[in-house]
């Protein structure tokens, strides 16, 4: 039997910020909704014997996490759009490991998360982070030493600083380890100057007194498609976001059902109200052209809006996007794996995605994502084809 002890150094805020913002919206609007998530091994990684049991032990430790008074105060002072009722709810929230089912079949791993959406929504990111950290531990992967990690991260910070761009760290879910991610943010905090604008990891944002960054994820739109239908998914998801946050957290994710479809729904009201959009798949230059043309068509100055680029970024890609977008539209970057898992080992290519949702006393309904990069599509094949037909998507 694998023994474990509560780890007091862990934090319930060691998660991406958009999980908490979405949780507030779900608590307020959809408290009866149920959700299922599944682990997808995109990289076809082979898991060593005993991995499933070791992961279960790590998951068990999560039940001891709770919001501290200091963490609650940090959220109260830095995130005024998180209302007092939600902060009180979060203070009482505890992870329930019974919501996570883990099975290992040879080198394959099967993970399902199921529960009320307002509860199960917090599992995705820490489960992925635990998988990555445990995988490197159990396969004896030797990463670069801290001295080299710090020096190469400092060099990246200098490159971005010289380029004159805004960069946020988005690497929690596929980080090598908590230690590596913290070292990266330590270094960016000291070396990045005004270039470094924050991190998606709320716990590390608090430690470094920087901004927690994020709004919503694909699951927000996937749920709305299941409940309101594919033609109304984007509009209902955006409207409900506005209903909860009243203009705060104004970066909209555009590619749950392709950017082309999203922009047909992103009318003048939403285009004016939201501060910008996030690019998470497809060709970033083509995306920029589409978004700039969209704002121009509506009579909105693209320079008053922002694109957050967040898809597989490294310095070369950031430099190319910067050169193209300068003077045309506002832009910023969220960089994940290239910061939190650039340690001389092959980064894991894994995701955990919502696969089904259920309303109170209803049936489970499959949900899908139709990305600007078709290889990132998720969901049942029949439902994907139905969505493509209804939304007239050809790829």
């Amino acid at each position: 039997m694998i023994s474990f002890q509560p780890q007091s150094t862990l934090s319930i805020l060691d998660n991406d910020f958009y999980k908490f913002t979405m949780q507030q919206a779900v608590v307020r609007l959809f408290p009866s909704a149920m959700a299922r998530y599944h682990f997808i091994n995109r990289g076809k990684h082979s898991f060593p014997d005993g991995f499933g049991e070791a992961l279960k032990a790590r998951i068990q430790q999560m039940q001891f996490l709770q919001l501290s008074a200091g963490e609650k105060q940090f959220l109260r002072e830095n995130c005024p759009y998180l209302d007092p009722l939600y902060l009180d709810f979060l203070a009482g929230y505890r992870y329930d490991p019974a919501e996570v089912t883990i099975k290992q079949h040879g080198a394959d791993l099967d993970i399902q998360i199921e529960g009320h959406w307002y509860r199960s929504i917090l599992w995705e990111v820490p489960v992925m982070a635990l998988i990555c950290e445990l995988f490197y531990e159990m396969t004896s992967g030797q990463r670069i030493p801290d001295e080299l990690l710090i020096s190469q991260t400092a060099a990246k910070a200098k490159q971005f600083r010289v380029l004159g761009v805004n960069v946020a760290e988005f690497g929690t879910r596929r980080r090598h380890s908590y230690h590596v991610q913290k070292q990266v943010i330590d270094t960016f905090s000291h070396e990045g100057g005004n270039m470094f604008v924050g991190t998606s990891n709320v716990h590390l944002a608090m430690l470094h007194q920087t901004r927690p960054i994020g709004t919503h994820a694909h699951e927000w739109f996937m749920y709305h498609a299941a409940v309101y239908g594919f033609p109304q998914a984007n509009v209902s998801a955006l409207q409900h976001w506005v209903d909860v946050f009243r203009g705060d957290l104004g970066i909209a994710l555009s590619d749950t059902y392709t950017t082309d479809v999203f922009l047909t729904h992103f009318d003048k009201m939403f285009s004016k109200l939201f501060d910008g959009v996030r690019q998470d798949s497809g060709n970033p230059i083509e995306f920029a052209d589409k978004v700039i043309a969209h704002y121009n068509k509506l009579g909105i100055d693209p320079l008053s809006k922002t694109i957050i680029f967040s898809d597989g970024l490294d310095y070369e890609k950031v430099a190319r996007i910067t050169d193209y977008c300068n003077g045309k539209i506002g832009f910023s970057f969220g960089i994940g794996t290239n910061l939190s898992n650039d340690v001389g080992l092959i980064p894991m290519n894994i995701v955990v995605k919502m696969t089904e949702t259920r309303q109170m006393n209803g049936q489970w309904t499959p949900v899908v994502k139709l990305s600007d990069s078709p290889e990132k599509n998720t969901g049942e094949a029949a439902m994907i084809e139905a969505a493509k037909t209804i939304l007239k998507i050809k790829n």
Side-chain angles (χ1 to χ4, degrees):
M1 178 178 291
I2 299 172
S3 62
F4 63 89
Q5 296 294 327
Q7 297 185 23
S8 60
T9 56
L10 295 178
S11 167
I12 199 169
L13 296 185
D14 184 18
N15 206 328
D16 279 344
F17 186 47
Y18 65 25
K19 284 295 178 174
F20 299 105
T21 57
M22 287 191 298
Q23 187 181 49
Q24 171 168 298
V26 173
V27 167
R28 185 181 298 185
L29 300 178
F30 310 113
S32 302
M34 303 288 290
R36 284 177 177 160
Y37 301 78
H38 279 85
F39 168 70
I40 303 172
N41 185 5
R42 285 179 176 165
K44 308 299 182 185
H45 306 282
S46 295
F47 293 93
D49 290 344
F51 188 91
E53 289 302 311
L55 181 60
K56 288 179 184 178
R58 299 285 177 96
I59 295 296
Q60 286 293 327
Q61 295 179 33
M62 300 285 288
Q63 67 184 299
F64 298 106
L65 300 179
Q66 62 186 78
L67 192 72
S68 72
E71 289 170 334
K72 187 176 182 182
Q73 184 65 21
F74 172 79
L75 294 175
R76 184 184 296 116
E77 292 177 354
N78 292 277
C79 311
Y81 36 77
L82 298 179
D83 60 48
L85 178 61
Y86 170 69
L87 293 181
D88 284 347
F89 162 83
L90 187 59
Y93 176 91
R94 301 293 184 273
Y95 282 105
D96 181 1
E99 294 169 343
V100 184
T101 302
I102 301 169
K103 297 178 182 178
Q104 184 170 358
H105 310 283
D108 296 325
L109 197 62
D110 178 30
I111 302 174
Q112 177 175 297
I113 301 164
E114 180 178 326
H116 278 92
W117 191 21
Y118 74 84
R119 292 192 46 80
S120 57
I121 197 169
L122 290 192
W123 277 113
E124 174 191 348
V125 175
V127 165
M128 288 178 62
L130 286 172
I131 290 171
C132 290
E133 186 156 357
L134 188 60
F135 181 82
Y136 294 119
E137 288 178 16
M138 294 187 68
T139 56
S140 301
Q142 295 299 308
R143 69 171 178 86
I144 60 177
D146 281 355
E147 294 79 5
L148 181 54
L149 172 66
I150 292 169
S151 65
Q152 77 174 21
T153 303
K156 291 177 184 179
K158 181 179 179 181
Q159 283 182 310
F160 293 129
R161 195 173 67 243
V162 170
L163 195 58
V165 297
N166 292 331
V167 172
E169 189 278 334
F170 278 12
T172 303
R173 63 187 57 229
R174 283 182 284 266
R175 68 192 182 194
H176 173 272
S177 60
Y178 171 83
H179 176 79
V180 166
Q181 187 182 20
K182 185 175 184 300
Q183 290 274 50
V184 166
I185 296 176
D186 284 345
T187 305
F188 260 52
S189 295
H190 290 109
E191 304 291 338
N194 293 332
M195 171 277 296
F196 180 57
V197 295
T199 172
S200 63
N201 187 296
V202 188
H203 166 63
L204 293 172
M206 177 179 168
L207 291 186
H208 294 86
Q209 290 300 297
T210 188
R211 288 174 56 206
I213 294 179
T215 53
H216 46 242
H218 296 107
E219 68 183 280
W220 182 249
F221 295 86
M222 293 161 72
Y223 170 84
H224 282 79
V227 175
Y228 300 98
F230 292 114
Q232 289 298 315
N234 288 317
V235 171
S236 58
L238 293 172
Q239 185 59 59
H240 280 139
W241 196 255
V242 172
D243 291 344
V244 174
F245 292 106
R246 313 300 297 173
D248 282 318
L249 302 175
I251 297 295
L253 182 59
S254 62
D255 70 335
T256 309
Y257 300 107
T258 75
T259 294
D260 289 339
V261 170
F262 175 85
L263 291 177
T264 66
H265 300 153
F266 200 51
D267 65 11
K268 193 165 190 174
M269 182 190 76
F270 288 133
S271 294
K272 282 193 167 186
L273 182 57
F274 280 83
D275 300 320
V277 294
R278 179 161 71 91
Q279 187 264 344
D280 197 50
S281 62
N283 185 304
I285 303 303
E286 292 178 3
F287 179 89
D289 281 339
K290 289 178 182 179
V291 172
I292 291 167
H294 175 77
Y295 284 130
N296 281 327
K297 181 181 69 176
L298 295 177
I300 298 170
D301 181 3
L303 288 170
S304 70
K305 299 296 181 178
T306 298
I307 298 175
I308 308 295
F309 294 94
S310 63
D311 181 30
L313 299 176
D314 55 20
Y315 173 77
E316 288 72 22
K317 195 171 181 180
V318 168
R320 186 168 70 252
I321 294 169
T322 298
D323 182 64
Y324 188 81
C325 290
N326 250 332
K328 298 175 183 176
I329 192 167
F331 56 93
S332 184
F333 300 94
I335 304 179
T337 305
N338 186 256
L339 292 180
S340 68
N341 203 347
D342 184 15
V343 295
L345 300 170
I346 298 175
M348 300 196 77
N349 185 6
I350 59 174
V351 294
V352 171
K353 288 293 181 183
M354 179 191 280
T355 55
E356 296 174 274
T357 186
R358 191 186 78 189
Q359 306 311 299
M360 185 169 55
N361 301 322
Q363 294 184 333
W364 287 101
T365 301
V367 299
V368 299
K369 182 185 80 161
L370 302 178
S371 173
D372 289 336
S373 299
E375 68 275 10
K376 290 186 175 182
N377 290 354
T378 62
E380 294 182 0
M383 188 64 78
I384 288 176
E385 289 307 311
K388 286 182 177 181
T389 300
I390 292 169
L391 296 173
K392 298 180 172 61
I393 297 171
K394 296 180 180 180
N395 65 353

